[in-house]
Amino acid sequence: MEAQAQGLLEAEPLQGRDEDAVASADFSSMLSEEEKQELKAELVQLEDEITTLRQVLSAKERHLVEIKQKLGMNLMNELKQNFSKSWHDMQTTTAYKKTHETLSHAGQKATAAFSNVGTAISKKFGDMSYSIRHSISMPAMRNSPTFKSFEERVETTVTSLKVFFRRRSYEEAKED
């Protein structure tokens, strides 16, 4: 008996198949005329209440818009605020912080490397200008110790940068 009582009291929602069965069932033959009249009156009352609630909601929405206009809040301002909040939330994520830190570090390394290359180029051009004045042909300049030294430094810098970025890629892949 208790199992039957529990089955009747289950609070699970109806499934699609159950809803179809309930909708197609004809309960009107089981109701007396008095019960039908009461249900019809209740139906009319519920429809009236729903209409009233819709009107109240509409009035409150209009009032909300008026208040926002008085406060200078419009759709564009709300979008700006939402965007600012989303941007701030994104900046506080761990992934963003790690990416920012990595790119910042890589930028600093690249800046230092390019600065060193620039300094080396300036120095070597200064040395080569002297060498060019005293040398007639380009092959002689290319074979000069100054030019060879310059070439080696550029190659070393490029190799260092490649190794640095490969390590970074490997470390980031390992962290993921």
Short mmCIF file of all heavy atoms in Angstrom, two decimals, residues 19-28 30:
data_model
loop_
_atom_site.label_atom_id
_atom_site.label_comp_id
_atom_site.label_asym_id
_atom_site.label_seq_id
_atom_site.Cartn_x
_atom_site.Cartn_y
_atom_site.Cartn_z
N GLU A 19 2.59 13.80 -21.20
CA GLU A 19 1.83 15.03 -21.48
C GLU A 19 0.84 14.77 -22.61
O GLU A 19 -0.30 15.25 -22.56
CB GLU A 19 2.78 16.16 -21.86
CG GLU A 19 3.61 16.66 -20.70
CD GLU A 19 4.64 17.70 -21.13
OE1 GLU A 19 4.74 18.00 -22.33
OE2 GLU A 19 5.35 18.20 -20.24
N ASP A 20 1.25 14.01 -23.62
CA ASP A 20 0.36 13.70 -24.73
C ASP A 20 -0.83 12.90 -24.25
O ASP A 20 -1.97 13.13 -24.66
CB ASP A 20 1.10 12.92 -25.82
CG ASP A 20 2.15 13.78 -26.52
OD1 ASP A 20 2.07 15.02 -26.42
OD2 ASP A 20 3.06 13.20 -27.16
N ALA A 21 -0.57 11.94 -23.36
CA ALA A 21 -1.65 11.10 -22.84
C ALA A 21 -2.64 11.93 -22.02
O ALA A 21 -3.85 11.76 -22.15
CB ALA A 21 -1.08 9.97 -21.99
N VAL A 22 -2.13 12.85 -21.22
CA VAL A 22 -3.00 13.69 -20.40
C VAL A 22 -3.80 14.63 -21.28
O VAL A 22 -5.00 14.84 -21.08
CB VAL A 22 -2.17 14.48 -19.36
CG1 VAL A 22 -3.01 15.53 -18.68
CG2 VAL A 22 -1.58 13.53 -18.33
N ALA A 23 -3.17 15.19 -22.31
CA ALA A 23 -3.84 16.14 -23.19
C ALA A 23 -4.95 15.46 -24.00
O ALA A 23 -5.98 16.07 -24.28
CB ALA A 23 -2.84 16.78 -24.14
N SER A 24 -4.75 14.21 -24.37
CA SER A 24 -5.75 13.53 -25.19
C SER A 24 -6.87 12.90 -24.34
O SER A 24 -7.89 12.49 -24.88
CB SER A 24 -5.08 12.46 -26.05
OG SER A 24 -4.53 11.45 -25.23
N ALA A 25 -6.67 12.82 -23.05
CA ALA A 25 -7.70 12.21 -22.18
C ALA A 25 -8.89 13.16 -22.05
O ALA A 25 -8.74 14.37 -22.01
CB ALA A 25 -7.11 11.92 -20.81
N ASP A 26 -10.05 12.61 -21.97
CA ASP A 26 -11.28 13.40 -21.84
C ASP A 26 -11.80 13.26 -20.42
O ASP A 26 -12.44 12.26 -20.08
CB ASP A 26 -12.32 12.92 -22.86
CG ASP A 26 -13.57 13.75 -22.83
OD1 ASP A 26 -13.52 14.88 -22.29
OD2 ASP A 26 -14.60 13.29 -23.35
N PHE A 27 -11.49 14.26 -19.59
CA PHE A 27 -11.91 14.22 -18.19
C PHE A 27 -13.28 14.84 -17.99
O PHE A 27 -13.86 14.74 -16.92
CB PHE A 27 -10.89 14.95 -17.30
CG PHE A 27 -9.55 14.27 -17.24
CD1 PHE A 27 -8.45 14.80 -17.89
CD2 PHE A 27 -9.40 13.09 -16.54
CE1 PHE A 27 -7.22 14.17 -17.84
CE2 PHE A 27 -8.17 12.45 -16.47
CZ PHE A 27 -7.08 12.98 -17.13
N SER A 28 -13.79 15.51 -18.99
CA SER A 28 -15.06 16.23 -18.83
C SER A 28 -16.22 15.28 -18.49
O SER A 28 -17.15 15.68 -17.81
CB SER A 28 -15.39 17.03 -20.09
OG SER A 28 -15.55 16.15 -21.19
N MET A 30 -16.01 12.87 -16.52
CA MET A 30 -15.89 12.49 -15.11
C MET A 30 -16.31 13.61 -14.17
O MET A 30 -16.45 13.41 -12.98
CB MET A 30 -14.43 12.11 -14.82
CG MET A 30 -13.98 10.89 -15.60
SD MET A 30 -12.21 10.53 -15.53
CE MET A 30 -11.73 10.84 -13.88
#
